[in-house]
Each structure stands twice: as structure tokens, then as C-alpha cells.
């Protein structure tokens, strides 16, 4: 009789352990799945009914300031051409017509110069023009400096930094310029340019739309 009671008690204890263990495993499985670090059990982030917006690329205007104007879209070659045909001004703005036939305005420092200074612009992996055409004339290809406005006006095949060389801007006529020939006609620049890159170069955002006057 005593052995029977002991057997029943041990059976109940074993059953209790099994039930508790099963419950713990069930709860853990529901809350954490198969992951031992219980990532599913982490607290969910607080959410709002409004989806998160992609941050704007343009800065917000401060109170009292004018809102930033939306840039125009133009091909790189056409933008440089408009600048050259306008007499290649250094600080004054010049006008151009973008791909959507909008009248726009741009500047050398704000829009044109980056086409020569920035890499990965003309095509993916493209070196900056100044990689080969820098202010170090003894090392620069064709002894041509495209890193500054003064260097561009000084031209190519320069004997020294104090001298001018061959005009690369066509004396203000884009189709007569060396830049036009290299970029558009021969399509050999920037260096390593793939054949699938359009003759006009990439479409970029530049300048701003001219406001219509009444």
C-alpha cells in the first residue's frame, strides 16, 4: 500500500514537471519562435498611422527666407554649351532651356564647375576631369587645368602656369570648341567613357527655373 502511494505521488510530481516544462516551451515558442535570442520578443517600435516619409534632399527654408527653387533638368553637354555660348561668365548667371523646355538660369560656380570636379558624374565609376587635368601642369594631360575658372580660360598645351595655351572654349562658340569635340563629337572624355553613355552626357539637375513675369 505504501509503495502504491509513493508511486502515485512520484507520478503526480513527474506529470507536474512535464506540464510545467511543456507550458514554458509553448510560451517561449509563441513569443520567440525558433530563435534563441528571442528577437520576436523584442518590444515593437512605436508606430504612427502616417508612414515614415523619405527625408527631403533640399534644406527647409528658415522663417522669413525664400523657399529653395526646384532645379531644372539638362544634359551635361548642353549645360556646358549654354555657358560657353553665353561668353563663359565666371560669376554672372546665364540662361538655358532644360529638357522640359523650361527657361532656366545657372552659374559657373554653382552648376558648371562640378561637371569637371566631381567623380561618378558622367558615368558610374567615372574619374573627375581634374584627375588628369589638374593645376600641376607638368603632370596634367595636355598641360590643361580644368580645376579652376582661370585654368580653363588659359587653355591647353601651356608652357607654364604663367602662360596661356590653346583655347579650349572656342572663343565663345561651343561648336568650335575643343571641349565640344572631345565631349560630344568624339565622345572620348571623360577618360574611360563607355560607348553606351549618350553623346549629350547624363541628365543632371542644375540651376533653377526663371520665374515668369506678368
Amino acid at each position: 500500500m505504501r509503495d502504491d502511494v509513493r508511486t502515485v505521488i512520484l507520478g503526480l510530481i513527474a506529470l507536474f514537471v512535464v506540464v510545467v516544462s511543456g507550458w514554458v516551451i509553448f510560451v517561449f515558442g509563441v513569443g520567440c519562435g525558433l530563435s534563441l535570442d528571442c528577437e520576436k520578443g523584442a518590444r515593437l517600435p512605436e508606430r504612427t498611422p502616417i508612414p515614415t516619409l523619405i527625408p527631403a534632399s533640399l534644406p527647409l527654408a528658415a522663417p522669413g527666407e525664400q523657399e529653395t527653387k526646384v532645379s531644372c533638368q539638362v544634359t551635361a553637354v548642353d549645360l556646358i554649351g549654354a555657358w560657353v555660348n553665353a561668353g563663359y561668365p565666371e560669376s554672372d548667371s546665364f540662361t538655358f532651356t532644360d529638357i522640359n523646355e523650361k527657361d532656366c538660369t545657372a552659374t559657373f560656380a554653382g552648376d558648371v564647375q562640378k561637371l569637371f570636379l566631381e567623380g561618378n558624374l558622367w558615368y558610374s565609376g567615372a574619374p573627375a576631369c581634374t584627375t588628369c587635368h589638374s593645376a600641376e601642369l607638368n603632370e596634367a594631360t595636355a598641360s590643361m587645368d580644368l580645376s579652376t575658372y582661370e585654368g580653363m580660360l588659359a587653355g591647353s598645351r601651356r608652357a607654364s602656369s604663367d602662360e596661356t595655351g590653346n583655347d579650349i572654349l572656342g572663343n565663345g562658340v561651343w561648336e568650335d570648341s575643343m571641349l565640344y569635340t572631345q565631349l560630344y563629337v568624339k565622345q572620348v572624355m571623360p577618360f574611360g567613357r563607355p560607348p553606351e553613355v549618350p553623346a549629350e552626357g547624363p541628365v543632371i539637375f542644375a540651376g533653377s527655373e526663371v520665374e515668369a513675369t506678368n
Side-chain angles (χ1 to χ4, degrees), residues 108-181:
F108 171 77
D111 303 286
V112 176
Q113 192 173 27
K114 67 181 181 181
L115 299 178
F116 301 94
L117 300 181
E118 295 183 8
N120 293 314
L121 195 149
W122 289 83
Y123 61 88
S124 178
C129 297
T130 51
T131 301
C132 298
H133 303 290
S134 66
E136 299 295 332
L137 295 182
N138 59 330
E139 300 177 0
T141 302
S143 299
M144 180 169 57
D145 176 21
L146 298 180
S147 66
T148 64
Y149 177 82
E150 293 77 14
M152 296 179 70
L153 263 62
S156 65
R157 307 297 177 185
R158 297 165 60 190
S160 69
S161 59
D162 298 327
E163 299 182 30
T164 58
N166 301 325
D167 177 28
I168 66 172
L169 301 177
N171 196 29
V173 180
W174 175 231
E175 289 76 10
D176 294 341
S177 70
M178 188 189 76
L179 279 181
Y180 177 79
T181 300

Side-chain angles (χ1 to χ4, degrees), residues 76-96:
V77 168
D78 286 343
L79 181 64
I80 299 173
W83 171 67
V84 171
N85 286 333
Y88 36 88
E90 179 179 10
S91 55
D92 293 338
S93 61
F94 62 94
T95 59
F96 66 93

Side-chain angles (χ1 to χ4, degrees), residues 47-51:
R47 302 183 183 275
T48 64
I50 303 176

